[in-house]
């Protein structure tokens, strides 16, 4: 006797036999009973959901000879039903559109459709995988679909309706076949197991239905394979034959990740790989299990949203309460990023182990991490303005054993200057702390002690471990942490162009701060200014008017300043230039010859020196170097 696979043997023969497609079965049955037959139908949906079987049932319902009119319940015994079931009917033609994609094939089909039926009432043309037709073939079929010959019905079946031309879809009655629900599939597989005397546990049947993911043909094929095993079929047999990772092994992986035992984790991974599991399959199953873990934590009553057994779901709900949502989401993100590497590498086993070991990275500092030492920032005089530098202070006392201190409130600032900052022996609770330099004026003590401070340099190093590689490389070389107080932080960037680049990565920086401090941190960026040279003292009589503003440097070496004063008799060198306005009421009358214009060479030299933060030294007449320069000028030949 010829062997017949289960998915052929138990193919539905009537609309009542369709599994999980009640709405489609009811609609087509009513259309047949009312004899409202459309010229073309489009059946779309995933594989194994009953599209081709529905097309055959429709053909038998229209042509069953046991009734004098179309019927929704064909007998399956008459000659027409038997020939349609065997695929030998002259009036029912099934065409594989994947093999007949050209316009010539469609032209031949259109010519054959002009002839009247030979044995049946209707001529049925079933085009399977119709999305494989070429555009020219689709266009050739348009007119025939819209106005086919009398007694001709087209049934188009496809798993990818997006590739079918909209003009074709608009000429058909479309039916979308959904994936088979889990309960309906379990009932159908249980019925087949009873009819075939297959010894299988209910848990194994449920697992087969879950692994099929809504495809009834896949579930029947897997059950057909399992029926060849001796003895009773259990969950282990299903996992081994399907090639997926068992749920209990995935649960053991999660426990090893949560307890941060690398040795146990590697043993579990090696055991799975030695049993023939593919590294990519292991990674994808673990990612799916993280999804189930998130549902178990947030919605323990919604087991219908996952595809795992009852016992595993109970264990997963209990385990999910030990983890935070941030850890679960971070694990999903990490596995998603590692999938491309595992798929494309030549060493998938190595990268699978590295990817899973990366899940053990802590989300936030734990009790095992070294505590951040406290620091006190003494006030700086106004002349120490410039780039910030980290402060050095004695570390805070270590916490007691087993304690996990909460995140401390962070306050303080770092200042960079050419000279080293003084070391503070202990923080002063009454001293105000600010990110900007404080003035020398006395400050009244705060009514409450300031919050404890931490070492900003160590905090800056800890923050870099949470940044992405590109952001970390930018901030390590060109950034520094200026202040961190409460829920706000200030970062200093060396130049304005780099500050614009850092601004585009502000979200990554704030996310790193949130992971480190366990609270949202608002980050602002500042451009660090280079230290300006101290101005030279002016030799001028003491007056009661305020000092003149500092000189404004020219924008280029070729811009000349307005007017520069001549050296006063009491000073051995000329005072720096400054701009003068004739309408300035604070300027005293200037005698004839005191102010003289500056030549272009001197202006260019002064601008060049200011560009490099230098100063132009003017030699007096008594300096012997001045006479040497005069002699060299006289002896040098003129240019040009």
């Amino acid at each position: 006797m010829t062997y017949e696979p289960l998915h052929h043997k138990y193919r539905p023969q009537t609309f009542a036999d369709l599994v999980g497609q009640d709405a489609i079965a009811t609609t087509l049955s009513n259309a047949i009973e009312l004899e409202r037959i459309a010229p073309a139908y489009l059946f779309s949906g995933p594989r194994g959901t009953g599209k081709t079987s529905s097309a055959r049932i429709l053909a038998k319902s229209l042509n069953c000879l046991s009734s004098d009119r179309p019927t929704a319940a064909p007998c399956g015994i008459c000659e027409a039903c038997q020939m349609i079931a065997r695929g030998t009917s002259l009036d029912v033609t099934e065409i594989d559109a994947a093999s007949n994609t050209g316009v010539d094939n469609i032209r031949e089909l259109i010519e054959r459709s002009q002839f009247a039926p030979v044995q049946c009432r209707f001529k049925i043309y079933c085009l399977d995988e119709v999305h494989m037709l070429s555009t020219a073939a689709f266009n050739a079929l348009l007119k025939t679909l819209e106005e086919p010959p009398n007694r001709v019905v087209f049934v188009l079946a496809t798993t990818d309706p997006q590739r079918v031309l909209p003009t074709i879809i608009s000429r058909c009655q479309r039916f979308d076949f959904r994936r088979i629900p889990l309960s309906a599939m379990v009932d159908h597989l249980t019925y087949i197991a009873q009819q075939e005397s297959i010894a299988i546990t209910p848990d194994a049947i449920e697992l087969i239905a879950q692994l099929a993911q809504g495809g009834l043909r896949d579930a029947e094929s897997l059950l057909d394979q399992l029926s060849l095993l001796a003895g009773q079929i259990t969950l282990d047999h299903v996992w081994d034959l399907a090639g997926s990772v068992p749920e209990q092994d995935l649960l053991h992986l999660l426990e090893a990740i949560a307890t941060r035992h690398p040795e146990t984790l590697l043993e579990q991974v090696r055991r799975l790989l030695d049993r023939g599991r593919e590294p990519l399959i292991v990674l994808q199953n673990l990612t799916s299990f993280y999804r189930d873990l998130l549902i178990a934590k947030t919605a323990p009553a919604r087991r219908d949203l996952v595809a795992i057994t009852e016992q595993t779901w109970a264990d997963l709900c209990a385990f999910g309460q030990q983890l935070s949502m941030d850890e679960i989401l971070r694990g999903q993100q990490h596995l998603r990023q590692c999938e491309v590497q595992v798929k494309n590498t030549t060493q998938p086993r190595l990268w699978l182990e590295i990817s899973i070991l990366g899940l053990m990275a802590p989300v936030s500092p734990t009790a095992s991490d070294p505590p951040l030492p406290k620091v006190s920032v003494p006030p700086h005089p106004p002349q120490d303005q410039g780039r910030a530098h980290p402060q050095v202070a004695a570390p805070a006392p270590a916490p007691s054993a087993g304690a996990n201190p909460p995140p401390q409130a962070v306050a303080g600032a770092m200042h960079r200057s050419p000279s080293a900052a003084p070391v503070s022996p202990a923080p002063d609770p009454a001293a105000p702390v600010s990110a900007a330099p404080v003035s020398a004026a006395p400050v009244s003590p705060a009514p409450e002690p300031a919050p404890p401070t931490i070492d900003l340099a160590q905090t800056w190093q800890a923050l870099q471990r949470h940044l992405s590689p590109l952001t970390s490389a930018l901030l390590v070389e060109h950034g520094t942490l200026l202040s961190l107080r409460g829920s706000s932080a200030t970062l200093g960037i060396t130049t304005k162009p780099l500050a614009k680049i850092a601004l585009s990565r502000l979200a990554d920086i704030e996310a790193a701060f949130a992971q480190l401090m366990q609270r949202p941190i608002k980050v602002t960026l500042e451009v660090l200014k280079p230290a300006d040279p101290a101005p030279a003292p002016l030799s001028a009589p003491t007056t009661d008017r305020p000092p003149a503003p500092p000189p404004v440097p020219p924008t280029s070496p070729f811009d000349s300043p307005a007017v520069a004063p001549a050296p006063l008799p009491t000073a051995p060198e000329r005072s720096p230039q400054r701009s003068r306005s004739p309408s300035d009421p604070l300027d005293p009358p200037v005698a004839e010859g005191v102010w003289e214009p500056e030549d272009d060479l001197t202006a260019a030299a002064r601008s060049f020196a200011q560009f490099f933060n230098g100063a132009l030294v003017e030699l007096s007449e008594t300096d012997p170097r001045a006479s040497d320069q005069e002699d060299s000028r006289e002896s040098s030949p003129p240019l040009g």
Side-chain angles (χ1 to χ4, degrees):
M1 181 177 178
T2 305
Y3 169 72
E4 188 177 9
L6 292 182
H7 66 279
H8 286 170
K9 184 177 182 179
Y10 291 92
R11 181 188 292 269
Q13 302 299 321
T14 63
F15 287 116
D17 296 338
L18 281 178
V19 179
Q21 310 294 347
D22 298 336
I24 296 176
T26 302
T27 303
L28 291 176
S29 299
N30 294 337
I32 293 172
E33 293 292 340
L34 298 176
E35 295 189 8
R36 296 170 57 178
I37 311 301
Y41 294 92
L42 176 64
F43 294 165
S44 63
R47 67 182 189 277
T49 53
K51 299 184 295 298
T52 305
S53 298
S54 297
R56 292 184 179 180
I57 295 173
L58 179 63
K60 289 191 293 184
S61 299
L62 295 177
N63 297 313
C64 182
L65 299 179
S66 63
S67 175
D68 56 352
R69 58 188 299 273
T71 174
C75 65
I77 302 175
C78 65
E79 184 180 0
C81 292
Q82 292 288 337
M83 294 175 64
I84 292 173
R86 293 193 302 266
T88 60
S89 175
L90 297 177
D91 296 324
V92 178
T93 305
E94 295 186 14
I95 301 175
D96 180 16
S99 302
N100 302 272
T101 61
V103 64
D104 294 335
N105 304 111
I106 298 301
R107 287 173 181 170
E108 181 182 355
L109 183 149
I110 294 173
E111 291 176 359
R112 291 167 52 189
S113 66
Q114 305 298 325
F115 297 97
V118 177
Q119 298 172 326
C120 304
R121 302 187 187 94
F122 290 86
K123 295 190 72 171
I124 310 297
Y125 289 96
C126 179
L127 278 71
D128 200 8
E129 300 299 329
V130 71
H131 63 271
M132 299 297 293
L133 290 179
S134 63
T135 304
F138 272 129
N139 292 328
L141 193 60
L142 283 177
K143 186 63 178 177
T144 306
L145 282 182
E146 186 174 5
E147 297 178 358
N150 191 24
R151 301 289 180 173
V152 175
V153 176
F154 288 92
V155 180
L156 313 181
T158 177
T159 57
D160 191 1
Q162 306 299 328
R163 297 172 59 182
V164 181
L165 292 183
T167 52
I168 295 290
I169 297 178
S170 64
R171 288 166 169 79
C172 304
Q173 283 192 9
R174 178 173 175 175
F175 292 89
D176 291 322
F177 287 72
R178 62 172 183 169
R179 295 185 182 274
I180 310 301
L182 183 64
S183 58
M185 191 179 297
V186 169
D187 295 340
H188 186 68
L189 293 178
T190 303
Y191 169 76
I192 294 177
Q194 293 174 355
Q195 296 295 320
E196 299 294 328
S197 301
I198 300 175
I200 185 172
T201 62
D203 291 341
I205 292 180
E206 184 177 2
L207 180 58
I208 293 173
Q210 291 172 350
L211 294 176
Q213 297 182 354
L216 185 58
R217 182 170 59 241
D218 296 344
E220 292 173 342
S221 299
L222 183 57
L223 179 61
D224 200 359
Q225 290 177 269
L226 291 169
S227 64
L228 301 176
L229 299 177
Q232 191 177 33
I233 302 171
T234 60
L235 288 174
D236 294 336
H237 295 94
V238 178
W239 286 119
D240 292 337
L241 193 60
S244 299
V245 182
E247 298 171 348
Q248 291 299 321
D249 291 339
L250 293 175
L251 192 60
H252 294 332
L253 284 177
L254 287 182
E255 293 174 353
I257 293 171
T259 55
R260 291 181 172 82
H261 288 163
E263 181 181 357
T264 305
L265 185 59
L266 288 177
E267 288 179 357
Q268 294 287 341
V269 175
R270 293 290 178 87
R271 186 179 298 112
L272 291 174
L273 297 179
D274 292 342
R275 288 166 56 185
R277 302 300 189 268
E278 289 294 327
L280 184 59
I281 297 299
V282 175
L283 187 69
Q284 292 175 346
N285 291 161
L286 184 58
T287 306
S288 176
F289 210 64
Y290 262 89
R291 188 271 318 270
D292 298 341
L293 177 61
L294 183 62
I295 298 175
K297 179 176 179 58
T298 56
R302 297 300 305 274
R303 180 176 172 265
D304 58 305
L305 298 178
V306 300
I308 56 178
T309 59
E310 182 68 29
Q311 181 61 37
T312 305
W313 173 252
D315 297 340
L316 202 62
C317 291
F319 180 77
Q321 305 306 318
Q322 305 175 12
L323 302 177
S324 65
M325 189 176 298
D326 291 339
E327 291 180 288
I328 300 175
L329 293 176
R330 188 182 64 87
Q332 286 181 336
Q333 180 72 8
H334 176 75
L335 293 175
R336 183 183 67 84
Q337 295 175 350
C338 295
E339 181 178 2
V340 178
Q341 181 67 38
V342 176
K343 182 184 298 183
N344 299 329
T345 185
T346 57
Q347 296 180 341
R349 294 173 62 100
L350 172 64
W351 283 104
L352 173 66
E353 295 176 353
I354 293 176
S355 301
I356 296 181
L357 287 174
L359 294 172
M360 296 191 300
V363 179
S364 59
T366 59
S368 60
D369 299 331
L372 298 177
K374 296 183 179 181
V375 68
S376 175
V377 181
H380 289 262
Q383 60 270 18
D384 287 341
Q385 297 181 2
R387 293 188 59 186
H389 66 279
Q391 301 290 333
V392 182
S400 58
N404 189 8
Q408 300 177 348
V410 184
M414 294 192 316
H415 299 274
R416 288 184 178 176
S417 67
S419 60
V423 179
S424 176
D428 186 4
V433 180
S434 174
V438 298
S439 60
V443 181
S444 58
E448 296 181 359
T453 60
I454 65 172
D455 189 351
L456 296 181
Q458 187 171 355
T459 305
W460 181 242
Q461 295 178 358
L463 176 69
Q464 295 166 9
R465 293 194 294 267
H466 297 273
L467 295 171
S468 63
L470 293 179
T471 308
S472 178
L474 171 65
L475 296 182
V476 167
E477 297 294 335
H478 307 284
T480 184
L481 180 59
L482 297 179
S483 67
L484 182 58
R485 178 188 293 273
S487 61
S488 62
T490 303
L491 300 184
I493 308 298
T494 54
T495 62
K496 188 174 181 180
L498 294 176
K500 292 182 179 179
I501 299 176
L503 184 61
S504 64
R505 305 181 182 276
L506 193 60
D508 184 21
I509 301 174
E510 291 181 347
F513 266 109
Q515 292 182 4
L516 178 63
M517 307 306 298
Q518 289 295 292
R519 65 176 185 274
I521 300 294
K522 180 65 177 178
V523 179
T524 57
L525 302 178
E526 292 184 2
V527 179
L528 299 174
K529 298 181 179 180
D532 297 330
L538 295 177
S539 299
T542 304
T543 60
D544 295 334
R545 63 183 178 89
V552 179
T555 57
S556 68
F558 301 100
D559 295 336
S560 60
V563 179
L568 298 179
T570 57
E573 61 182 12
R574 183 177 299 172
S575 60
Q577 60 174 347
R578 67 181 181 90
S579 60
R580 176 178 176 271
S581 174
S583 61
D584 190 356
L586 298 179
D587 285 345
V590 181
E592 188 73 21
V594 174
W595 298 92
E596 62 181 8
E598 195 175 53
D599 57 344
D600 295 341
L601 180 61
T602 305
R606 187 181 304 280
S607 177
F608 186 81
Q610 292 177 355
F611 180 80
F612 289 95
N613 293 332
L616 186 63
V617 179
E618 298 183 7
L619 302 178
S620 62
E621 297 178 358
T622 59
D623 197 323
R625 292 177 294 179
S627 60
D628 295 341
Q629 293 181 0
E630 291 293 338
D631 295 340
S632 62
R633 271 199 224 86
E634 293 176 358
S635 59
S636 60
L639 298 177

